[in-house]
Amino acid sequence: MPVVVLCPSCHAAATHHLEPVTECPRCHRAYPDEVRAPAEDALRRADVPKPPLLLLGQLGASFGGFVFLSLLLLAPFDVGSFHINGEQMSGPEFLVRAGWAFLLLGGMLAAIGFGLWRRRTWARPLMMAYWPVSVVLASAPSWSEGSTTGLTGLLAFSTIAAAVAWWYLYRKDNVVAWFQAFDRREAPAPGAA
């Protein structure tokens, strides 16, 4: 939520979206503390709305991370049905053959969900890293068997999805503004030790 500040020097109204509110953009005179402090407090209290697709991504990543990591916890006890490329196997065998991939993907998804929930800017590059990591892990069983069946479709889908994700995360105005708002809040204050 932006804050409009009336400059006591030139009487120009200026809209501020982020902290710090230090000077008038028109006359470049520093705002006095009695003007600056309430404006910065209002900006701090304002809750920047999370773009809807980021909220959906937060929920989806959190759920996906929970499912992947839960399967890892159940595998040693052979609870559930485990398959790799249509081949059914026991939970412990699944854990040996694909446990590291499930741990990596589940950990990434859980971290993305947590980062979006806690409004951390490191979630954005982690979301982009998800696409190449998931392609490598999804295609690894085909490589080990010497088969390339389905790899072209997987690469095409992942490339398109990564391009759309990049545009959304780094070019869509409201999403960029959301990340920038929290990027500046995470930065240490000048002079802070």
Side-chain angles (χ1 to χ4, degrees):
M1 169 193 284
V3 171
V4 178
V5 177
L6 184 64
C7 178
S9 299
C10 69
H11 304 291
T15 303
H16 295 272
H17 296 276
L18 300 170
E19 299 177 64
V21 178
T22 55
E23 67 177 30
C24 174
R26 183 172 175 209
C27 69
H28 300 289
R29 290 191 184 167
Y31 290 129
D33 283 341
E34 57 271 6
V35 172
R36 181 194 53 75
E40 288 183 349
D41 286 344
L43 286 171
R44 261 188 241 103
R45 286 191 309 266
D47 188 20
V48 179
K50 186 177 289 177
L53 281 181
L54 284 183
L55 180 60
L56 186 62
Q58 171 188 321
L59 296 172
S62 299
F63 179 74
F66 174 77
V67 168
F68 274 69
L69 296 175
S70 294
L71 286 173
L72 284 179
L73 292 175
L74 297 174
F77 306 106
D78 205 15
V79 176
S81 178
F82 297 92
H83 298 80
I84 295 179
N85 287 341
E87 176 189 345
Q88 187 167 355
M89 61 192 64
S90 69
E93 183 181 355
F94 176 83
L95 195 57
V96 168
R97 291 178 59 187
W100 61 273
F102 265 57
L103 180 62
L104 181 59
L105 282 179
M108 282 184 82
L109 289 171
I112 290 168
F114 176 79
L116 289 173
W117 176 61
R118 298 291 295 164
R119 299 176 178 193
R120 299 293 186 243
T121 57
W122 50 259
R124 183 163 54 167
L126 192 57
M127 286 185 274
M128 290 304 304
Y130 171 82
W131 295 104
V133 168
S134 66
V135 166
V136 168
L137 294 177
S139 60
S142 298
W143 292 343
S144 65
E145 296 171 0
S147 171
T148 58
T149 305
L151 287 181
T152 305
L154 177 65
L155 286 173
F157 171 78
S158 183
T159 302
I160 292 168
V164 170
W166 176 83
W167 170 83
Y168 183 76
L169 294 171
Y170 290 94
R171 292 291 181 239
K172 189 155 181 359
D173 291 339
N174 66 325
V175 177
V176 170
W178 187 82
F179 278 107
Q180 285 176 344
F182 296 105
D183 187 33
R184 291 185 183 167
R185 290 181 188 178
E186 287 177 14

